Amino acid sequence: MDQQILLKISGLSKKINTSSVLNDIFLTVKEGEIFGLLGPNGSGKTTLIKCIVGLIRPDSGSIQLNGLHISTSFEKAISSIGAIVENPEFYEYMTGRDHLKMAAAFYPAADSDRMKEVIELVNLGKAIDDRVSTYSLGMKQRLGIAGAVLHKPKLLILDEPQNGLDPAGMIELRTYIKLLQKNEGTTIICTSHLLNEMEDLCDRVAILKSGSVIHIHQLKQEGSSRIFIKAEPFNKARKLLSTHFSTIQKENGLYIAANAERIPEITRLLVANSLEVYSIYPVKKSLEEAFLEVTEGRVGE
């Protein structure tokens, strides 16, 4: 069954002073997916997030959450969102539990049982009664997430959550984000300028450049348009496959343009021509390849 659209953004534009920060943005985010916004600083990621949560009013376009327009049903629509925009801020002298109690005061459904759930979800049980001044940056990020999901939002928005984290902290954060998706069915939007993190975390990624969406890349998907083959003798395999498919030669084998469903057919072709097949499997285009393709390789921009 197809996933339902939870968030729909249509023709969103925003100017700050005379500069266009967002240019005619069209996006849909499906229920239960992790959706990434990827782009360098200044590409419009945070401005787009601020428009979604109502911190900035767009000049034109519309935002619908669960069928409700943010502009006309703001309170009802925004009640389905949990968000950390830029860095979460805390009172260092208070404990993690104190912060969650303070956040819970805004949400009638955030009772003691729910608080226990979120503390367990982000694995802060041993430190929840310690002062936040003793927390690492990764622990603060997890506390921020706990507070943002107390009311079981349909949509969780995390703006550059990996900022300042070491590799271990990034892995840890990624684990808890995926747990939210799996255990609570939360839809998550995550912004970043880190290609590898987006590829490891997201189902789909929108690449932003100068306030425009220039590409949407599907990461978690069935099927593939490329197949990797390692067969010997190599030159004979290359010549045979080149007569049937578009091929790209690599040092360790060949990539051909074909869907994964054709693997049995291709295997039979190779074996019938007395070739030894060592490897044959589908390959998806990486996020890095897609990024370089749509930005024409200008990584430094």
Side-chain angles (χ1 to χ4, degrees):
M1 189 170 69
D2 291 340
Q3 290 170 289
Q4 296 296 311
I5 292 172
L6 179 67
L7 178 70
K8 183 178 181 181
I9 299 171
S10 304
L12 204 72
S13 295
K14 177 66 182 177
K15 281 187 177 181
I16 295 179
N17 297 324
T18 58
S19 299
S20 292
V21 184
L22 298 175
N23 304 303
D24 204 26
I25 300 284
F26 285 85
L27 279 178
T28 57
V29 179
K30 300 172 185 175
E31 283 187 356
E33 75 172 333
I34 300 178
F35 189 91
L37 297 174
L38 174 68
N41 294 333
S43 60
K45 302 187 301 295
T46 298
T47 302
L48 178 56
I49 292 303
K50 287 181 176 179
C51 287
I52 294 171
V53 300
L55 294 176
I56 289 179
R57 187 187 297 272
D59 297 326
S60 60
S62 67
I63 302 168
Q64 292 181 60
L65 180 65
N66 212 24
L68 298 170
H69 284 271
I70 296 283
S71 58
T72 57
S73 304
F74 179 75
E75 287 189 17
K76 193 170 181 181
I78 210 73
S79 66
S80 298
I81 297 178
I84 301 176
V85 182
E86 298 174 330
N87 293 321
E89 298 290 339
F90 302 102
Y91 295 107
E92 297 285 314
Y93 62 88
M94 290 172 61
T95 68
R97 191 183 300 276
D98 290 336
H99 279 93
L100 291 183
K101 285 180 177 177
M102 188 166 57
F106 294 95
Y107 307 119
D111 56 18
S112 58
D113 288 339
R114 178 57 181 166
M115 196 174 299
K116 288 177 185 176
E117 285 179 4
V118 299
I119 291 169
E120 183 179 341
L121 184 69
V122 298
N123 196 26
L124 278 175
K126 292 181 179 178
I128 198 65
D129 291 309
D130 295 341
R131 290 188 179 186
V132 172
S133 58
T134 66
Y135 283 19
S136 67
L137 184 56
M139 292 168 72
K140 288 179 179 178
Q141 289 284 21
R142 283 151 49 198
L143 179 61
I145 291 172
V149 299
L150 271 170
H151 60 304
K152 292 189 178 180
K154 290 180 177 291
L155 176 65
L156 174 64
I157 299 174
L158 303 173
D159 186 25
E160 301 271 5
Q162 304 93 346
N163 272 1
L165 296 181
D166 60 20
M170 289 183 182
I171 293 169
E172 197 175 62
L173 180 68
R174 193 191 314 143
T175 298
Y176 298 121
I177 290 173
K178 288 181 176 179
L179 277 173
L180 272 170
Q181 180 195 37
K182 180 182 177 181
N183 294 349
E184 304 212 335
T186 310
T187 305
I188 298 158
I189 295 177
C190 188
T191 76
S192 184
H193 58 275
L194 303 173
L195 277 162
N196 290 342
E197 278 303 302
M198 289 288 97
E199 187 153 38
D200 289 340
L201 181 63
C202 298
D203 300 304
R204 289 191 300 146
V205 172
I207 299 174
L208 275 71
K209 180 181 177 184
S210 302
S212 298
V213 175
I214 58 173
H215 179 68
I216 296 178
H217 188 66
Q218 183 86 36
L219 286 161
K220 310 293 190 298
Q221 61 183 353
E222 297 297 323
S224 172
S225 59
R226 292 194 303 168
I227 296 171
F228 174 78
I229 298 167
K230 185 175 182 180
E232 296 292 344
F234 179 80
N235 287 333
K236 183 179 178 181
R238 179 178 54 80
K239 186 175 181 180
L240 173 67
L241 292 167
S242 296
T243 62
H244 294 80
F245 305 95
S246 172
T247 65
I248 300 172
Q249 181 176 332
K250 298 289 185 181
E251 286 184 11
N252 60 340
L254 294 162
Y255 289 94
I256 67 168
N259 291 325
E261 291 77 11
R262 300 193 67 183
I263 286 178
E265 169 197 342
I266 295 162
T267 304
R268 288 193 294 269
L269 174 67
L270 294 167
V271 172
N273 284 273
S274 303
L275 286 151
E276 300 287 339
V277 182
Y278 292 92
S279 297
I280 181 165
Y281 52 83
V283 180
K284 295 182 178 71
K285 182 183 287 186
S286 72
L287 181 57
E288 182 176 0
E289 288 176 304
F291 182 83
L292 292 173
E293 190 176 288
V294 300
T295 59
E296 300 175 349
R298 294 193 289 271
V299 179
E301 285 192 4

